[in-house]
Amino acid sequence: MGEFRMPSLGADMDFGTLIAWHVGVGDQVHRGDIVAEVDTDKSVIEVETFVTGTVEELLVPEGRRVPVGTPLALIREDAALAAKGHAPAAPTAAAAAGGTRTPEPLAPEPVPVRAPGGRAGRPAA
């Protein structure tokens, strides 16, 4: 049984608040699935799981502030499920109620820079 723990989402993060679960007991999850939203002092961040299996128990209710490293859920790892590959899971009650958001892009699009004389140069790296 694997423990899904409150991650450290920044060098100075000691606590996080569990804002929302995106899974429920009995849901199958795959490595990389977004399973929760956590509020840090700076922003709300979607958190993914690093195991494939079935959610056995949610240990921390939404709205609770807990220290980094606190077990949030128990996930029964399933090697057979992982071998089948990643298939979209059925939506949870929270997702069906509109509780999910489209993830924002990781980085902004490159912006062309203007060379002296007004010519467009290569995008900044």
Side-chain angles (χ1 to χ4, degrees), residues 25-120:
V25 173
D27 287 354
Q28 292 182 345
V29 295
H30 294 83
R31 180 183 176 102
D33 285 352
I34 302 297
V35 296
E37 289 181 37
V38 171
D39 186 17
T40 69
D41 290 335
K42 298 178 182 172
S43 66
V44 174
I45 300 174
E46 293 178 323
V47 182
E48 65 185 60
T49 182
F50 294 101
V51 299
T52 296
T54 303
V55 177
E56 290 292 314
E57 185 176 358
L58 301 177
L59 303 172
V60 175
E62 293 176 348
R64 174 87 37 97
R65 184 171 188 234
V66 296
V68 168
T70 299
L72 301 176
L74 298 177
I75 300 175
R76 181 174 27 92
E77 295 183 54
D78 187 340
L81 184 61
K84 290 180 184 177
H86 183 18
T92 63
T100 60
R101 294 191 319 246
T102 303
E104 295 186 25
L106 296 177
E109 292 293 321
V111 177
V113 293
R114 296 272 176 198
R119 295 187 339 231

